[in-house]
PDB file of all heavy atoms in Angstrom:
ATOM      1  N   GLN D   1     -22.295  11.398  23.799  1.00 96.00           N
ATOM      2  CA  GLN D   1     -23.582  11.128  23.164  1.00 96.00           C
ATOM      3  C   GLN D   1     -23.466   9.805  22.422  1.00 96.00           C
ATOM      4  O   GLN D   1     -22.769   9.706  21.407  1.00 96.00           O
ATOM      5  CB  GLN D   1     -23.970  12.266  22.217  1.00 96.00           C
ATOM      6  CG  GLN D   1     -24.221  13.581  22.946  1.00 96.00           C
ATOM      7  CD  GLN D   1     -24.662  14.701  22.028  1.00 96.00           C
ATOM      8  OE1 GLN D   1     -24.662  14.571  20.799  1.00 96.00           O
ATOM      9  NE2 GLN D   1     -25.047  15.832  22.615  1.00 96.00           N
ATOM     10  N   TYR D   2     -24.131   8.787  22.939  1.00 96.00           N
ATOM     11  CA  TYR D   2     -24.034   7.432  22.400  1.00 96.00           C
ATOM     12  C   TYR D   2     -25.345   7.068  21.715  1.00 96.00           C
ATOM     13  O   TYR D   2     -26.418   7.152  22.313  1.00 96.00           O
ATOM     14  CB  TYR D   2     -23.734   6.434  23.512  1.00 96.00           C
ATOM     15  CG  TYR D   2     -22.405   6.671  24.198  1.00 96.00           C
ATOM     16  CD1 TYR D   2     -22.330   7.402  25.384  1.00 96.00           C
ATOM     17  CD2 TYR D   2     -21.226   6.162  23.662  1.00 96.00           C
ATOM     18  CE1 TYR D   2     -21.110   7.628  26.011  1.00 96.00           C
ATOM     19  CE2 TYR D   2     -20.007   6.382  24.289  1.00 96.00           C
ATOM     20  CZ  TYR D   2     -19.957   7.111  25.460  1.00 96.00           C
ATOM     21  OH  TYR D   2     -18.747   7.327  26.074  1.00 96.00           O
ATOM     22  N   LEU D   3     -25.246   6.681  20.448  1.00 96.00           N
ATOM     23  CA  LEU D   3     -26.422   6.355  19.650  1.00 96.00           C
ATOM     24  C   LEU D   3     -26.284   4.943  19.079  1.00 96.00           C
ATOM     25  O   LEU D   3     -25.201   4.540  18.646  1.00 96.00           O
ATOM     26  CB  LEU D   3     -26.581   7.363  18.508  1.00 96.00           C
ATOM     27  CG  LEU D   3     -26.610   8.844  18.911  1.00 96.00           C
ATOM     28  CD1 LEU D   3     -26.587   9.721  17.667  1.00 96.00           C
ATOM     29  CD2 LEU D   3     -27.840   9.153  19.757  1.00 96.00           C
ATOM     30  N   PHE D   4     -27.396   4.215  19.065  1.00 96.00           N
ATOM     31  CA  PHE D   4     -27.379   2.831  18.598  1.00 96.00           C
ATOM     32  C   PHE D   4     -28.599   2.583  17.718  1.00 96.00           C
ATOM     33  O   PHE D   4     -29.722   2.917  18.099  1.00 96.00           O
ATOM     34  CB  PHE D   4     -27.410   1.858  19.779  1.00 96.00           C
ATOM     35  CG  PHE D   4     -26.295   2.073  20.772  1.00 96.00           C
ATOM     36  CD1 PHE D   4     -26.414   3.029  21.774  1.00 96.00           C
ATOM     37  CD2 PHE D   4     -25.128   1.336  20.686  1.00 96.00           C
ATOM     38  CE1 PHE D   4     -25.381   3.241  22.685  1.00 96.00           C
ATOM     39  CE2 PHE D   4     -24.088   1.538  21.586  1.00 96.00           C
ATOM     40  CZ  PHE D   4     -24.217   2.492  22.585  1.00 96.00           C
ATOM     41  N   VAL D   5     -28.372   2.021  16.550  1.00 95.00           N
ATOM     42  CA  VAL D   5     -29.468   1.655  15.661  1.00 95.00           C
ATOM     43  C   VAL D   5     -29.471   0.137  15.549  1.00 95.00           C
ATOM     44  O   VAL D   5     -28.496  -0.462  15.088  1.00 95.00           O
ATOM     45  CB  VAL D   5     -29.311   2.303  14.273  1.00 95.00           C
ATOM     46  CG1 VAL D   5     -30.383   1.778  13.316  1.00 95.00           C
ATOM     47  CG2 VAL D   5     -29.406   3.822  14.389  1.00 95.00           C
ATOM     48  N   ASN D   6     -30.545  -0.473  16.004  1.00 94.00           N
ATOM     49  CA  ASN D   6     -30.643  -1.935  16.071  1.00 94.00           C
ATOM     50  C   ASN D   6     -29.425  -2.528  16.770  1.00 94.00           C
ATOM     51  O   ASN D   6     -28.832  -3.511  16.324  1.00 94.00           O
ATOM     52  CB  ASN D   6     -30.845  -2.530  14.685  1.00 94.00           C
ATOM     53  CG  ASN D   6     -32.192  -2.156  14.088  1.00 94.00           C
ATOM     54  OD1 ASN D   6     -33.107  -1.720  14.802  1.00 94.00           O
ATOM     55  ND2 ASN D   6     -32.334  -2.294  12.780  1.00 94.00           N
ATOM     56  N   ASN D   7     -29.053  -1.872  17.871  1.00 92.00           N
ATOM     57  CA  ASN D   7     -27.963  -2.282  18.772  1.00 92.00           C
ATOM     58  C   ASN D   7     -26.565  -2.083  18.188  1.00 92.00           C
ATOM     59  O   ASN D   7     -25.575  -2.528  18.775  1.00 92.00           O
ATOM     60  CB  ASN D   7     -28.126  -3.734  19.229  1.00 92.00           C
ATOM     61  CG  ASN D   7     -28.255  -3.848  20.731  1.00 92.00           C
ATOM     62  OD1 ASN D   7     -28.822  -2.967  21.381  1.00 92.00           O
ATOM     63  ND2 ASN D   7     -27.740  -4.911  21.302  1.00 92.00           N
ATOM     64  N   ARG D   8     -26.474  -1.406  17.054  1.00 91.00           N
ATOM     65  CA  ARG D   8     -25.163  -1.127  16.466  1.00 91.00           C
ATOM     66  C   ARG D   8     -24.783   0.327  16.745  1.00 91.00           C
ATOM     67  O   ARG D   8     -25.561   1.242  16.472  1.00 91.00           O
ATOM     68  CB  ARG D   8     -25.183  -1.362  14.953  1.00 91.00           C
ATOM     69  CG  ARG D   8     -23.835  -1.072  14.262  1.00 91.00           C
ATOM     70  CD  ARG D   8     -23.953  -1.190  12.772  1.00 91.00           C
ATOM     71  NE  ARG D   8     -24.220  -2.561  12.384  1.00 91.00           N
ATOM     72  CZ  ARG D   8     -23.275  -3.481  12.176  1.00 91.00           C
ATOM     73  NH1 ARG D   8     -22.004  -3.155  12.311  1.00 91.00           N
ATOM     74  NH2 ARG D   8     -23.594  -4.704  11.820  1.00 91.00           N
ATOM     75  N   PRO D   9     -23.580   0.577  17.289  1.00 91.00           N
ATOM     76  CA  PRO D   9     -23.163   1.955  17.566  1.00 91.00           C
ATOM     77  C   PRO D   9     -23.034   2.763  16.276  1.00 91.00           C
ATOM     78  O   PRO D   9     -22.479   2.283  15.287  1.00 91.00           O
ATOM     79  CB  PRO D   9     -21.789   1.787  18.234  1.00 91.00           C
ATOM     80  CG  PRO D   9     -21.730   0.357  18.680  1.00 91.00           C
ATOM     81  CD  PRO D   9     -22.569  -0.408  17.711  1.00 91.00           C
ATOM     82  N   VAL D  10     -23.559   3.993  16.291  1.00 91.00           N
ATOM     83  CA  VAL D  10     -23.454   4.876  15.125  1.00 91.00           C
ATOM     84  C   VAL D  10     -23.125   6.292  15.598  1.00 91.00           C
ATOM     85  O   VAL D  10     -23.311   6.633  16.764  1.00 91.00           O
ATOM     86  CB  VAL D  10     -24.760   4.898  14.287  1.00 91.00           C
ATOM     87  CG1 VAL D  10     -25.100   3.515  13.768  1.00 91.00           C
ATOM     88  CG2 VAL D  10     -25.919   5.463  15.110  1.00 91.00           C
ATOM     89  N   ARG D  11     -22.622   7.109  14.672  1.00 88.00           N
ATOM     90  CA  ARG D  11     -22.439   8.554  14.891  1.00 88.00           C
ATOM     91  C   ARG D  11     -23.131   9.234  13.715  1.00 88.00           C
ATOM     92  O   ARG D  11     -22.495   9.675  12.770  1.00 88.00           O
ATOM     93  CB  ARG D  11     -20.952   8.913  14.939  1.00 88.00           C
ATOM     94  CG  ARG D  11     -20.216   8.385  16.142  1.00 88.00           C
ATOM     95  CD  ARG D  11     -20.618   9.093  17.421  1.00 88.00           C
ATOM     96  NE  ARG D  11     -20.230  10.496  17.448  1.00 88.00           N
ATOM     97  CZ  ARG D  11     -20.536  11.317  18.456  1.00 88.00           C
ATOM     98  NH1 ARG D  11     -21.267  10.886  19.472  1.00 88.00           N
ATOM     99  NH2 ARG D  11     -20.139  12.582  18.419  1.00 88.00           N
ATOM    100  N   ASP D  12     -24.434   9.286  13.798  1.00 89.00           N
ATOM    101  CA  ASP D  12     -25.240   9.738  12.674  1.00 89.00           C
ATOM    102  C   ASP D  12     -25.599  11.210  12.800  1.00 89.00           C
ATOM    103  O   ASP D  12     -26.074  11.665  13.839  1.00 89.00           O
ATOM    104  CB  ASP D  12     -26.527   8.893  12.605  1.00 89.00           C
ATOM    105  CG  ASP D  12     -27.324   9.175  11.357  1.00 89.00           C
ATOM    106  OD1 ASP D  12     -26.974   8.625  10.302  1.00 89.00           O
ATOM    107  OD2 ASP D  12     -28.277   9.973  11.433  1.00 89.00           O
ATOM    108  N   LYS D  13     -25.366  11.969  11.737  1.00 91.00           N
ATOM    109  CA  LYS D  13     -25.576  13.415  11.769  1.00 91.00           C
ATOM    110  C   LYS D  13     -27.032  13.779  12.006  1.00 91.00           C
ATOM    111  O   LYS D  13     -27.335  14.733  12.730  1.00 91.00           O
ATOM    112  CB  LYS D  13     -25.081  14.036  10.462  1.00 91.00           C
ATOM    113  CG  LYS D  13     -23.574  13.918  10.246  1.00 91.00           C
ATOM    114  CD  LYS D  13     -23.159  14.504   8.913  1.00 91.00           C
ATOM    115  CE  LYS D  13     -21.660  14.356   8.683  1.00 91.00           C
ATOM    116  NZ  LYS D  13     -21.247  14.897   7.353  1.00 91.00           N
ATOM    117  N   LEU D  14     -27.946  13.026  11.402  1.00 93.00           N
ATOM    118  CA  LEU D  14     -29.366  13.317  11.583  1.00 93.00           C
ATOM    119  C   LEU D  14     -29.759  13.181  13.056  1.00 93.00           C
ATOM    120  O   LEU D  14     -30.432  14.055  13.618  1.00 93.00           O
ATOM    121  CB  LEU D  14     -30.211  12.360  10.742  1.00 93.00           C
ATOM    122  CG  LEU D  14     -31.718  12.410  10.994  1.00 93.00           C
ATOM    123  CD1 LEU D  14     -32.305  13.705  10.453  1.00 93.00           C
ATOM    124  CD2 LEU D  14     -32.428  11.205  10.375  1.00 93.00           C
ATOM    125  N   LEU D  15     -29.323  12.118  13.682  1.00 95.00           N
ATOM    126  CA  LEU D  15     -29.686  11.857  15.073  1.00 95.00           C
ATOM    127  C   LEU D  15     -29.001  12.843  16.019  1.00 95.00           C
ATOM    128  O   LEU D  15     -29.624  13.344  16.962  1.00 95.00           O
ATOM    129  CB  LEU D  15     -29.333  10.424  15.445  1.00 95.00           C
ATOM    130  CG  LEU D  15     -29.996   9.332  14.585  1.00 95.00           C
ATOM    131  CD1 LEU D  15     -29.563   7.950  15.049  1.00 95.00           C
ATOM    132  CD2 LEU D  15     -31.518   9.463  14.633  1.00 95.00           C
ATOM    133  N   LEU D  16     -27.718  13.121  15.774  1.00 95.00           N
ATOM    134  CA  LEU D  16     -27.002  14.086  16.605  1.00 95.00           C
ATOM    135  C   LEU D  16     -27.636  15.476  16.499  1.00 95.00           C
ATOM    136  O   LEU D  16     -27.760  16.192  17.496  1.00 95.00           O
ATOM    137  CB  LEU D  16     -25.530  14.142  16.202  1.00 95.00           C
ATOM    138  CG  LEU D  16     -24.693  12.898  16.528  1.00 95.00           C
ATOM    139  CD1 LEU D  16     -23.320  12.990  15.869  1.00 95.00           C
ATOM    140  CD2 LEU D  16     -24.547  12.723  18.039  1.00 95.00           C
ATOM    141  N   GLY D  17     -28.043  15.834  15.296  1.00 95.00           N
ATOM    142  CA  GLY D  17     -28.698  17.116  15.091  1.00 95.00           C
ATOM    143  C   GLY D  17     -30.045  17.190  15.803  1.00 95.00           C
ATOM    144  O   GLY D  17     -30.423  18.239  16.326  1.00 95.00           O
ATOM    145  N   ALA D  18     -30.762  16.060  15.823  1.00 97.00           N
ATOM    146  CA  ALA D  18     -32.052  16.022  16.492  1.00 97.00           C
ATOM    147  C   ALA D  18     -31.891  16.186  18.000  1.00 97.00           C
ATOM    148  O   ALA D  18     -32.686  16.870  18.655  1.00 97.00           O
ATOM    149  CB  ALA D  18     -32.767  14.714  16.170  1.00 97.00           C
ATOM    150  N   VAL D  19     -30.862  15.547  18.561  1.00 97.00           N
ATOM    151  CA  VAL D  19     -30.594  15.694  19.997  1.00 97.00           C
ATOM    152  C   VAL D  19     -30.302  17.161  20.322  1.00 97.00           C
ATOM    153  O   VAL D  19     -30.834  17.722  21.286  1.00 97.00           O
ATOM    154  CB  VAL D  19     -29.421  14.796  20.436  1.00 97.00           C
ATOM    155  CG1 VAL D  19     -29.004  15.116  21.869  1.00 97.00           C
ATOM    156  CG2 VAL D  19     -29.782  13.324  20.299  1.00 97.00           C
ATOM    157  N   LYS D  20     -29.461  17.779  19.498  1.00 96.00           N
ATOM    158  CA  LYS D  20     -29.131  19.192  19.703  1.00 96.00           C
ATOM    159  C   LYS D  20     -30.376  20.057  19.614  1.00 96.00           C
ATOM    160  O   LYS D  20     -30.587  20.969  20.439  1.00 96.00           O
ATOM    161  CB  LYS D  20     -28.103  19.635  18.659  1.00 96.00           C
ATOM    162  CG  LYS D  20     -27.659  21.081  18.785  1.00 96.00           C
ATOM    163  CD  LYS D  20     -26.614  21.441  17.738  1.00 96.00           C
ATOM    164  CE  LYS D  20     -26.171  22.884  17.873  1.00 96.00           C
ATOM    165  NZ  LYS D  20     -25.152  23.234  16.838  1.00 96.00           N
ATOM    166  N   GLY D  21     -31.212  19.789  18.627  1.00 96.00           N
ATOM    167  CA  GLY D  21     -32.427  20.571  18.451  1.00 96.00           C
ATOM    168  C   GLY D  21     -33.401  20.418  19.604  1.00 96.00           C
ATOM    169  O   GLY D  21     -34.095  21.374  19.973  1.00 96.00           O
ATOM    170  N   ALA D  22     -33.450  19.225  20.204  1.00 97.00           N
ATOM    171  CA  ALA D  22     -34.387  18.979  21.298  1.00 97.00           C
ATOM    172  C   ALA D  22     -34.045  19.816  22.526  1.00 97.00           C
ATOM    173  O   ALA D  22     -34.929  20.175  23.313  1.00 97.00           O
ATOM    174  CB  ALA D  22     -34.388  17.494  21.654  1.00 97.00           C
ATOM    175  N   TYR D  23     -32.768  20.145  22.695  1.00 97.00           N
ATOM    176  CA  TYR D  23     -32.322  20.922  23.849  1.00 97.00           C
ATOM    177  C   TYR D  23     -32.258  22.421  23.567  1.00 97.00           C
ATOM    178  O   TYR D  23     -31.878  23.195  24.441  1.00 97.00           O
ATOM    179  CB  TYR D  23     -30.949  20.443  24.313  1.00 97.00           C
ATOM    180  CG  TYR D  23     -30.993  19.199  25.160  1.00 97.00           C
ATOM    181  CD1 TYR D  23     -31.076  17.944  24.582  1.00 97.00           C
ATOM    182  CD2 TYR D  23     -30.942  19.274  26.557  1.00 97.00           C
ATOM    183  CE1 TYR D  23     -31.111  16.790  25.360  1.00 97.00           C
ATOM    184  CE2 TYR D  23     -30.978  18.136  27.341  1.00 97.00           C
ATOM    185  CZ  TYR D  23     -31.061  16.894  26.740  1.00 97.00           C
ATOM    186  OH  TYR D  23     -31.102  15.756  27.508  1.00 97.00           O
ATOM    187  N   GLN D  24     -32.624  22.806  22.352  1.00 95.00           N
ATOM    188  CA  GLN D  24     -32.568  24.219  22.002  1.00 95.00           C
ATOM    189  C   GLN D  24     -33.474  25.030  22.931  1.00 95.00           C
ATOM    190  O   GLN D  24     -34.644  24.696  23.137  1.00 95.00           O
ATOM    191  CB  GLN D  24     -33.005  24.429  20.547  1.00 95.00           C
ATOM    192  CG  GLN D  24     -32.798  25.840  20.043  1.00 95.00           C
ATOM    193  CD  GLN D  24     -33.075  25.940  18.548  1.00 95.00           C
ATOM    194  OE1 GLN D  24     -33.398  24.965  17.891  1.00 95.00           O
ATOM    195  NE2 GLN D  24     -32.934  27.151  18.009  1.00 95.00           N
ATOM    196  N   GLY D  25     -32.925  26.074  23.516  1.00 93.00           N
ATOM    197  CA  GLY D  25     -33.701  26.915  24.410  1.00 93.00           C
ATOM    198  C   GLY D  25     -33.555  26.553  25.880  1.00 93.00           C
ATOM    199  O   GLY D  25     -33.920  27.343  26.755  1.00 93.00           O
ATOM    200  N   VAL D  26     -33.023  25.350  26.166  1.00 96.00           N
ATOM    201  CA  VAL D  26     -32.840  24.946  27.563  1.00 96.00           C
ATOM    202  C   VAL D  26     -31.373  24.677  27.887  1.00 96.00           C
ATOM    203  O   VAL D  26     -31.032  24.394  29.035  1.00 96.00           O
ATOM    204  CB  VAL D  26     -33.675  23.692  27.907  1.00 96.00           C
ATOM    205  CG1 VAL D  26     -35.156  23.983  27.754  1.00 96.00           C
ATOM    206  CG2 VAL D  26     -33.263  22.503  27.042  1.00 96.00           C
ATOM    207  N   LEU D  27     -30.518  24.765  26.859  1.00 95.00           N
ATOM    208  CA  LEU D  27     -29.088  24.517  27.052  1.00 95.00           C
ATOM    209  C   LEU D  27     -28.308  25.616  26.342  1.00 95.00           C
ATOM    210  O   LEU D  27     -28.583  25.929  25.180  1.00 95.00           O
ATOM    211  CB  LEU D  27     -28.713  23.148  26.477  1.00 95.00           C
ATOM    212  CG  LEU D  27     -27.383  22.535  26.911  1.00 95.00           C
ATOM    213  CD1 LEU D  27     -27.372  22.289  28.417  1.00 95.00           C
ATOM    214  CD2 LEU D  27     -27.147  21.216  26.186  1.00 95.00           C
ATOM    215  N   GLU D  28     -27.373  26.226  27.017  1.00 92.00           N
ATOM    216  CA  GLU D  28     -26.644  27.335  26.423  1.00 92.00           C
ATOM    217  C   GLU D  28     -25.765  26.875  25.260  1.00 92.00           C
ATOM    218  O   GLU D  28     -25.335  25.710  25.207  1.00 92.00           O
ATOM    219  CB  GLU D  28     -25.794  28.040  27.472  1.00 92.00           C
ATOM    220  CG  GLU D  28     -24.745  27.177  28.143  1.00 92.00           C
ATOM    221  CD  GLU D  28     -23.987  27.928  29.211  1.00 92.00           C
ATOM    222  OE1 GLU D  28     -23.022  28.645  28.861  1.00 92.00           O
ATOM    223  OE2 GLU D  28     -24.350  27.816  30.393  1.00 92.00           O
ATOM    224  N   ILE D  29     -25.504  27.751  24.325  1.00 91.00           N
ATOM    225  CA  ILE D  29     -24.706  27.446  23.145  1.00 91.00           C
ATOM    226  C   ILE D  29     -23.295  27.012  23.562  1.00 91.00           C
ATOM    227  O   ILE D  29     -22.690  27.611  24.455  1.00 91.00           O
ATOM    228  CB  ILE D  29     -24.635  28.676  22.218  1.00 91.00           C
ATOM    229  CG1 ILE D  29     -26.033  29.025  21.709  1.00 91.00           C
ATOM    230  CG2 ILE D  29     -23.691  28.407  21.042  1.00 91.00           C
ATOM    231  CD1 ILE D  29     -26.079  30.288  20.875  1.00 91.00           C
ATOM    232  N   GLY D  30     -22.797  25.963  22.914  1.00 93.00           N
ATOM    233  CA  GLY D  30     -21.469  25.468  23.229  1.00 93.00           C
ATOM    234  C   GLY D  30     -21.452  24.379  24.279  1.00 93.00           C
ATOM    235  O   GLY D  30     -20.386  23.824  24.589  1.00 93.00           O
ATOM    236  N   ARG D  31     -22.628  24.033  24.826  1.00 96.00           N
ATOM    237  CA  ARG D  31     -22.724  22.945  25.793  1.00 96.00           C
ATOM    238  C   ARG D  31     -23.540  21.803  25.177  1.00 96.00           C
ATOM    239  O   ARG D  31     -24.399  22.032  24.323  1.00 96.00           O
ATOM    240  CB  ARG D  31     -23.387  23.425  27.085  1.00 96.00           C
ATOM    241  CG  ARG D  31     -22.720  24.604  27.730  1.00 96.00           C
ATOM    242  CD  ARG D  31     -21.274  24.316  28.114  1.00 96.00           C
ATOM    243  NE  ARG D  31     -21.186  23.237  29.118  1.00 96.00           N
ATOM    244  CZ  ARG D  31     -20.036  22.823  29.637  1.00 96.00           C
ATOM    245  NH1 ARG D  31     -18.890  23.389  29.254  1.00 96.00           N
ATOM    246  NH2 ARG D  31     -20.018  21.868  30.547  1.00 96.00           N
ATOM    247  N   TYR D  32     -23.240  20.579  25.581  1.00 97.00           N
ATOM    248  CA  TYR D  32     -23.871  19.401  24.984  1.00 97.00           C
ATOM    249  C   TYR D  32     -24.445  18.485  26.056  1.00 97.00           C
ATOM    250  O   TYR D  32     -23.797  18.232  27.085  1.00 97.00           O
ATOM    251  CB  TYR D  32     -22.856  18.625  24.153  1.00 97.00           C
ATOM    252  CG  TYR D  32     -22.297  19.388  22.980  1.00 97.00           C
ATOM    253  CD1 TYR D  32     -21.239  20.275  23.151  1.00 97.00           C
ATOM    254  CD2 TYR D  32     -22.838  19.239  21.710  1.00 97.00           C
ATOM    255  CE1 TYR D  32     -20.734  20.991  22.079  1.00 97.00           C
ATOM    256  CE2 TYR D  32     -22.331  19.947  20.626  1.00 97.00           C
ATOM    257  CZ  TYR D  32     -21.273  20.819  20.819  1.00 97.00           C
ATOM    258  OH  TYR D  32     -20.778  21.529  19.769  1.00 97.00           O
ATOM    259  N   PRO D  33     -25.638  17.944  25.828  1.00 97.00           N
ATOM    260  CA  PRO D  33     -26.198  16.981  26.776  1.00 97.00           C
ATOM    261  C   PRO D  33     -25.510  15.631  26.634  1.00 97.00           C
ATOM    262  O   PRO D  33     -24.893  15.341  25.605  1.00 97.00           O
ATOM    263  CB  PRO D  33     -27.664  16.893  26.352  1.00 97.00           C
ATOM    264  CG  PRO D  33     -27.622  17.158  24.871  1.00 97.00           C
ATOM    265  CD  PRO D  33     -26.540  18.193  24.686  1.00 97.00           C
ATOM    266  N   LEU D  34     -25.617  14.806  27.645  1.00 98.00           N
ATOM    267  CA  LEU D  34     -25.142  13.432  27.581  1.00 98.00           C
ATOM    268  C   LEU D  34     -26.350  12.559  27.259  1.00 98.00           C
ATOM    269  O   LEU D  34     -27.481  12.854  27.687  1.00 98.00           O
ATOM    270  CB  LEU D  34     -24.525  12.985  28.899  1.00 98.00           C
ATOM    271  CG  LEU D  34     -23.179  13.594  29.312  1.00 98.00           C
ATOM    272  CD1 LEU D  34     -23.320  15.058  29.716  1.00 98.00           C
ATOM    273  CD2 LEU D  34     -22.561  12.802  30.453  1.00 98.00           C
ATOM    274  N   CYS D  35     -26.136  11.489  26.524  1.00 97.00           N
ATOM    275  CA  CYS D  35     -27.266  10.622  26.213  1.00 97.00           C
ATOM    276  C   CYS D  35     -26.794   9.250  25.748  1.00 97.00           C
ATOM    277  O   CYS D  35     -25.655   9.077  25.299  1.00 97.00           O
ATOM    278  CB  CYS D  35     -28.160  11.253  25.145  1.00 97.00           C
ATOM    279  SG  CYS D  35     -27.389  11.393  23.507  1.00 97.00           S
TER     280      CYS D  35
END
């Protein structure tokens, strides 16, 4: 999971949590999407 803010790489908890939340209900627990 690669995230960039104004082209700078980040590992931000808010953004990672949002990605996880967006897949809730369509991805089984313990699995992670790529992005």
Side-chain angles (χ1 to χ4, degrees):
Q1 295 182 352
Y2 297 96
L3 306 173
F4 304 84
V5 174
N6 293 343
N7 240 34
R8 179 186 294 273
V10 300
R11 292 289 294 177
D12 188 81
K13 295 178 181 178
L14 171 71
L15 302 180
L16 291 170
V19 171
K20 181 179 180 180
Y23 280 82
Q24 188 172 359
V26 297
L27 197 62
E28 60 183 277
I29 297 175
R31 304 300 297 182
Y32 297 83
L34 290 71
C35 67

